[in-house]
Amino acid sequence: MPNPRPGFAALVCAALLLFASTARAWNDAGHTTIDVLVYRNLSPELRDKLDEILRAHPRYEQDLLRGYEGPKDDRAARAEYAFAKAGTWPDMVRDRNNPASAVHHKGNWHYTDIPFFPFGGEDKFKGEPATPAKPGEPYDSISAWEYNLARFHDESLPPPDRAVALCWVLHIGADSHQPCHNTSLYSEAHPTGDKGANEWLLMYRGERRNLHSLWDGWIGNDRSLSFAQTRATEIANLHPRAQFTAQVSAQVSAHVSAQVSAGSSDQLAVTNIRDWVREGSRLAIEHVYLQGMITATPKKLADAEPNLPLPQVTDAYAKNATTLSLRQAALAAYRTANALATPPAQ
């Protein structure tokens, strides 16, 4: 269920205005799959270290091991399960019934949206300024990633604090590669932004869906660890680490290659989340919004006319979106694994 998000913030390094939107994230299946792939790209020594940290999480048994059905004395199985679910925890605490929600739910940490004006109106359409919930707190995915990555690597912090930070690192690392988390479209229909594609409705397989939720689910919808493990293997086979280093694979279409790599032949060397967000924004413009020509109905119009027929998602659109999402999942996992293994430069 989408949550309200604020307006724009400054992306200083690019001198761009960043606008907010409404979103969850990759769904549970997507986050769990990406976390499994992250886990497989960590050394055994680092896995053990992360297990020690996560076991200090304030909601380890209640949240990170929720649904675990394996042997209670199988530490390796519990460790993998908890890690695979750690990236979903920032979504778990969206639920106000979760005791950790009041302290740990941070709605504006899930996104940083660069504004997209397909039909002009840069001086006309505005969002409300993004501000931290508390003074000094991060206010978007960029600042939240930097804050939590530093806290995770800070060995002077109490283990519970580092465990919470690790959950956020996993979550934001994945979200920053879901294109809808990096852009909001502004137009006459959406003068304050479309909240990261949440304000568009269409039909997919007989269901009324918003555009953002579709992109959250292209990896799959099965929440089980077994599904995530199988899907992670498929993704790794389709997109091994080598594809993102040296020369971009010739099998990747030219337009996707150009949009994703932005001229770089080693995408794993791109370690600054600001660059990930810009990559994601370009992908959203090209593949989510189709350069502004997406065929969908504004939510406010559909809400006003409940019987209004909605456009259907085409097979071609769904196929392209799934292909791109699997590639983005792989890239998110490899980059996040690298970030966990390497403390950020001071």
Side-chain angles (χ1 to χ4, degrees), residues 297-310:
T297 300
K299 183 178 182 299
K300 64 181 180 181
L301 179 59
D303 288 346
E305 301 182 43
N307 296 323
L308 184 70
L310 299 178

Side-chain angles (χ1 to χ4, degrees), residues 7-345:
F8 67 92
L11 181 56
V12 178
C13 68
L16 292 171
L17 290 179
L18 300 181
F19 284 71
S21 62
T22 301
R24 282 190 69 83
W26 297 104
N27 62 15
D28 284 356
H31 273 292
T32 303
T33 298
I34 292 171
D35 286 354
V36 168
L37 194 50
V38 172
Y39 197 70
R40 292 178 180 177
N41 280 268
L42 302 175
S43 68
E45 295 77 16
L46 184 51
R47 290 181 191 175
D48 289 342
K49 176 182 176 181
L50 298 182
D51 179 39
E52 287 285 345
I53 293 172
L54 280 180
R55 285 193 293 118
H57 192 284
R59 298 277 299 174
Y60 181 74
E61 294 284 345
Q62 303 95 323
D63 290 349
L64 301 192
L65 287 180
R66 181 190 303 174
Y68 175 74
E69 298 178 349
K72 291 185 178 181
D73 60 350
D74 189 336
R75 179 165 176 172
R78 285 166 61 90
E80 180 182 10
Y81 187 94
F83 188 92
K85 294 300 180 181
T88 71
W89 190 72
D91 280 339
M92 292 185 197
V93 296
R94 288 179 182 271
D95 183 353
R96 293 182 181 180
N97 293 320
N98 188 305
S101 179
V103 174
H104 294 292
H105 169 46
K106 308 291 183 183
N108 56 357
W109 287 12
H110 297 255
Y111 59 91
T112 298
D113 286 343
I114 297 174
F116 172 42
F117 301 94
F119 312 113
E122 291 86 344
D123 298 328
K124 181 178 181 181
F125 306 127
K126 302 291 182 183
E128 295 181 3
T131 56
K134 296 179 181 179
E137 272 197 349
Y139 57 87
D140 61 7
S141 62
I142 291 177
S143 56
W145 165 270
E146 294 170 343
Y147 171 78
N148 284 288
L149 186 62
R151 287 175 66 81
F152 161 71
H153 281 292
D154 186 350
E155 297 183 357
S156 70
L157 289 180
D161 292 346
R162 297 182 70 198
V164 168
L166 173 56
C167 291
W168 276 105
V169 168
L170 291 170
H171 190 86
I172 299 169
D175 274 1
S176 63
H177 290 81
Q178 204 279 52
C180 296
H181 281 255
N182 304 299
T183 289
S184 223
L185 180 150
Y186 287 74
S187 66
E188 291 288 348
H190 300 104
T192 59
D194 71 349
K195 298 179 173 63
N198 266 283
E199 295 298 310
W200 294 102
L201 295 181
L202 22 63
M203 295 296 294
Y204 182 61
R205 295 181 176 177
E207 294 184 3
R208 172 176 162 139
R209 301 288 299 276
N210 75 59
L211 186 57
H212 184 112
S213 74
L214 281 174
W215 279 83
D216 282 344
W218 294 124
I219 293 175
N221 293 291
D222 187 331
R223 297 183 178 189
S224 69
L225 179 60
S226 60
F227 170 84
Q229 291 169 328
T230 299
R231 197 63 157 149
T233 298
E234 294 172 354
I235 291 172
N237 288 338
L238 283 169
H239 303 292
R241 288 182 66 96
Q243 183 184 97
F244 300 101
T245 59
Q247 190 62 40
V248 176
S249 171
Q251 295 179 352
V252 180
S253 67
H255 71 285
V256 172
S257 173
Q259 290 293 325
V260 176
S261 67
S264 170
S265 62
D266 188 348
Q267 293 170 60
L268 298 189
V270 180
T271 59
N272 192 315
I273 190 172
R274 289 170 171 79
D275 295 322
W276 304 352
V277 167
R278 282 192 289 269
E279 288 176 359
S281 177
R282 289 192 292 269
L283 289 174
I285 292 170
E286 177 74 16
H287 299 280
V288 178
Y289 295 117
L290 306 181
Q291 298 289 355
M293 303 308 293
I294 181 68
T295 302
T297 300
K299 183 178 182 299
K300 64 181 180 181
L301 179 59
D303 288 346
E305 301 182 43
N307 296 323
L308 184 70
L310 299 178
Q312 297 283 338
V313 177
T314 67
D315 290 342
Y317 185 92
K319 181 179 180 181
N320 179 69
T322 301
T323 298
L324 181 62
S325 292
L326 298 183
R327 188 179 189 280
Q328 286 298 101
L331 184 56
Y334 301 144
R335 283 174 167 171
T336 302
N338 287 353
L340 293 176
T342 307

